[in-house]
Amino acid sequence: IIKFTRFVQTDIRYLLLAGNIYNFTPSHPNEVFQTKAGDCKGKTMLLKTMLDEIGVKSNPVLVSSDRGDSLKSFYLIQIYLIT
């Protein structure tokens, strides 16, 4: 799980896809993997797909980023609670 998470965080470049501010549809995980770039939704779906492939069930969630750096410690705790 950690290797997949690090791969998506470090090897997949964040790319703002703001063609339509109301676009809630993620890019296909294969496209994100092939181009090595995606927005938050695309990167999330790529990680979910990778976890699905190894039998780890997961669900995307929305997280407020208003907490700034405090999310780092929260994230490290929550990564092991993926259901």
Side-chain angles (χ1 to χ4, degrees):
I1 294 171
I2 292 173
K3 286 183 181 182
F4 284 163
T5 302
R6 285 190 181 143
F7 170 77
V8 173
Q9 288 177 332
T10 60
D11 294 357
I12 305 296
R13 180 173 51 95
Y14 176 76
L15 178 65
L16 177 63
L17 301 173
N20 179 352
I21 195 166
Y22 300 106
N23 182 4
F24 294 109
T25 305
S27 299
H28 194 279
N30 287 342
E31 179 183 346
V32 175
F33 182 80
Q34 290 173 354
T35 62
K36 300 288 188 270
D39 64 3
C40 295
K41 299 175 301 296
K43 291 177 71 161
T44 298
M45 293 312 298
L46 174 60
L47 179 58
K48 179 174 177 20
T49 300
M50 294 169 75
L51 293 173
D52 287 347
E53 287 295 315
I54 62 167
V56 176
K57 292 183 181 181
S58 63
N59 294 300
V61 296
L62 295 174
V63 177
S64 172
S65 60
D66 291 342
R67 293 185 179 193
D69 288 344
S70 67
L71 284 178
K72 290 179 184 175
S73 60
F74 177 78
Y75 169 74
L76 293 174
I77 294 167
Q78 295 299 317
I79 191 168
Y80 296 103
L81 299 178
I82 295 173
T83 59

